[in-house]
Amino acid sequence: LFPTDKISLDAELNVSSDSEIRTLIENLGFVLINEGRWKEVIVVHKKGSGNIARTAKYNLVLGVASYYSGNLLDALSFLKSAIKLKFELSPELANHLAYFNASTKNSLGLISEKDYKNQMDLLEDSDNVGLYIKLEKSKENYFKSLSKDSEDKFEQLIAEINDIINDENADDGITLN
């Protein structure tokens, strides 16, 4: 609870507080994002006051939701705020912050492709986000190879995806259909 937290009352007399909204987004934000419901995270955020984004995790969740919604400038703003409070984050979430900050800046043309690739290389060995980077690299290599012997390359792609799925750090819900 922060001293500047506000309590809101809407037209239907529903009461919500910044503290409740912050807790909801911090606890369920990534679940909603993983379900493709990032717009709902943003809708809930907008129910709060202008002082609600007070923690690193809250700003990270909103940065990721904004990134997936295509609101890259908003994403960059939230991610910059999360960076200022990075010491609050676990190493895993700090890696996600680094990934989305680099991805957002790359999408906006604020860093070079070389700098982006260097940052991705540094993150590739991290537990969770590293698997995502490996998956993206496998897809990129496959698409680059389509003009060559694509049958062998497709089998290689499937093998690389299965290695990622079977990694001990992979989410149990990941499957190849």
Side-chain angles (χ1 to χ4, degrees):
L1 199 60
F2 292 91
T4 56
D5 281 354
K6 306 281 189 249
I7 296 175
S8 302
L9 184 66
D10 67 15
E12 283 119 30
L13 302 179
N14 295 312
V15 178
S16 63
S17 71
D18 287 351
S19 178
E20 290 172 330
I21 292 168
R22 187 180 307 107
T23 300
L24 178 69
I25 287 179
E26 287 179 348
N27 292 337
L28 296 176
F30 283 126
V31 172
L32 293 171
I33 289 169
N34 288 338
E35 292 175 354
R37 297 166 56 190
W38 48 82
K39 289 182 181 177
E40 291 176 41
V41 173
I42 295 168
V43 168
V44 171
H45 161 72
K46 288 183 177 181
K47 291 182 179 181
S49 73
N51 295 319
I52 196 166
R54 301 287 300 247
T55 67
K57 187 172 183 181
Y58 187 94
N59 280 290
L60 174 58
V61 170
L62 263 292
V64 174
S66 297
Y67 176 85
Y68 284 129
S69 295
N71 300 323
L72 297 180
L73 293 176
D74 287 347
L76 187 61
S77 177
F78 284 116
L79 295 169
K80 282 182 177 181
S81 294
I83 288 169
K84 291 177 186 172
L85 301 167
K86 183 178 169 181
F87 63 89
E88 297 176 358
L89 297 173
S90 68
E92 181 179 303
L93 288 180
N95 287 336
H96 278 79
L97 174 57
Y99 172 82
F100 281 100
N101 188 52
S103 295
T104 302
K105 286 181 175 180
N106 183 55
S107 296
L108 289 168
L110 299 176
I111 60 173
S112 69
E113 192 65 29
K114 181 181 177 186
D115 288 342
Y116 174 74
K117 287 191 184 289
N118 286 340
Q119 290 181 40
M120 294 301 108
D121 288 343
L122 292 172
L123 291 169
E124 189 171 349
D125 291 329
S126 63
D127 286 346
N128 197 296
V129 78
L131 295 175
Y132 184 77
I133 293 168
K134 288 176 186 173
L135 178 61
E136 290 301 309
K137 282 187 174 183
S138 294
K139 288 187 338 189
E140 181 182 333
N141 290 337
Y142 173 70
F143 288 125
K144 284 181 182 176
S145 72
L146 284 179
S147 61
K148 301 172 187 159
D149 185 10
S150 60
E151 188 172 316
D152 290 340
K153 296 297 180 183
F154 183 73
E155 290 174 14
Q156 180 181 346
L157 173 67
I158 297 301
E160 289 174 5
I161 291 172
N162 280 322
D163 287 345
I164 292 167
I165 290 170
N166 294 323
D167 188 287
E168 65 185 25
N169 295 314
D171 187 299
D172 291 337
I174 298 174
T175 59
L176 181 62
N177 293 325

